[in-house]
Amino acid sequence: MIECNDLSLVYPDGTQGLKNVNVQINKGEFVVIVGLSGAGKSTLIRSMNRLVQPTSGGLYIDGENALAHNASQLRKLRTKVGMIFQHHNLVKRHTVMKNVIAGRLGHTSTWKSVLNIYPNKDRALAYENLKRVSIEEKVHTRADQLSGGQQQRVSIARVLTQQPKVILADEPVASLDPPTSHQVMNYLKTINREDGITTIVNLHFIDMAMEYADRIIGMRAGEVVFDGPVAEVTERTFEDIYGRKIKDDDLRGGKTDYEPTEAITS
Ligand SMILES: Nc1ncnc2c1ncn2[C@@H]1O[C@H](COP(=O)(O)OP(=O)(O)O)[C@@H](O)[C@H]1O
Ligand SMILES: [Mg+2]
């Protein structure tokens, strides 16, 4: 689904964001990218929907050369590759429905979306996706009335409404407390398993990465220093990623036995 060949990115100020990254991500995988702040996690996933422009190497998404895209191809790419951010990026004064149906933007003509004209099937799809993250009762609530965890669930519903082939999540739980973080990670994992949407999540905390990932990509200073299944992670891997022995600060903790709600298991 995603192939990076010797992918490098040098920012205009000379900072090397990515250095010869070679990664191949298969359809349906749930991959967690871990690393310290500044390791290049955001730069890598932002490259994958071309929010930033790699400066050399190759990038293929769903078989297409993503570095050769023109504006209209980029729009299509961003419809196919949905993104979830740390600060959920909802329009605060809009209702939950209006935020979620915005996931249809890439599928809707501009004049219709400006006039807020969406087909009933799009509204039904948005509502179904709110149900999947158990937040349908907030459909008419303004986004700024929701807690951080609820807002993040709404942004998951929005990205699902986009019907993407890939979901990229850039530290989606960094500003949430541990139980809420586990809830959000469980929704992402359940959706990945049920829908087979290729999912790549950036996380700062290695224990959370180990709990949810099928495969871990460790980054340090713009380079991939580990790529393999969770079972192959060793103490040495931690040292390669963090440049030192693991300590408590590297752990998210607060592990819960959170059970997915009926809405997402049914
Ligand atoms: N727009 C930018 N201009 C210059 N340097 C940047 C920019 N964005 C990120 N960087 C630098 O690139 C490196 C990787 O950053 P980033 O991808 O944000 O890491 P992470 O997401 O792992 O914290 C860091 O050294 C960071 O300071
Ligand atoms: Mg980042």
Side-chain angles (χ1 to χ4, degrees), residues 11 19 31 63 66 93 127 159 218:
Y11 284 106
K19 199 170 168 186
V31 178
R93 66 200 153 74
Y127 191 75
V159 90

Side-chain angles (χ1 to χ4, degrees), residues 206-224:
I206 187 99
D207 55 343
M208 193 165 252
M210 300 282 286
E211 195 176 339
Y212 292 95
D214 298 330
R215 166 179 169 194
I216 287 186
I217 293 176
M219 292 191 73
R220 185 178 170 192
E223 290 184 272
V224 172

Side-chain angles (χ1 to χ4, degrees), residues 38 41-43 170-171 202:
K41 305 182 294 298
S42 296
T43 304
D170 197 357
E171 302 214 31
N202 282 351

Side-chain angles (χ1 to χ4, degrees), residues 6 22 30 48 69 77 81 86 135 142 195 204 226 229 256:
D6 266 326
N22 287 293
F30 192 96
M48 291 172 181
H69 279 355
L77 175 75
V81 181
Q86 177 179 347
I135 195 143
R142 268 171 60 136
D195 299 15
H204 181 83
F226 176 82
T256 59

Side-chain angles (χ1 to χ4, degrees), residues 3 12 25 32 41 46 57 62 73 77-79 84 102 107 109 130 163 176 195 200 205 219 222 245 256:
E3 193 178 324
I25 291 169
V32 176
K41 305 182 294 298
R46 289 168 143 260
D62 200 19
Q73 289 169 317
L77 175 75
R78 289 178 187 144
T79 301
I84 295 171
H107 303 276
S109 65
L130 285 167
Q163 296 185 307
L176 304 177
D195 299 15
I200 305 171
F205 297 102
M219 292 191 73
K245 295 220 181 292
T256 59

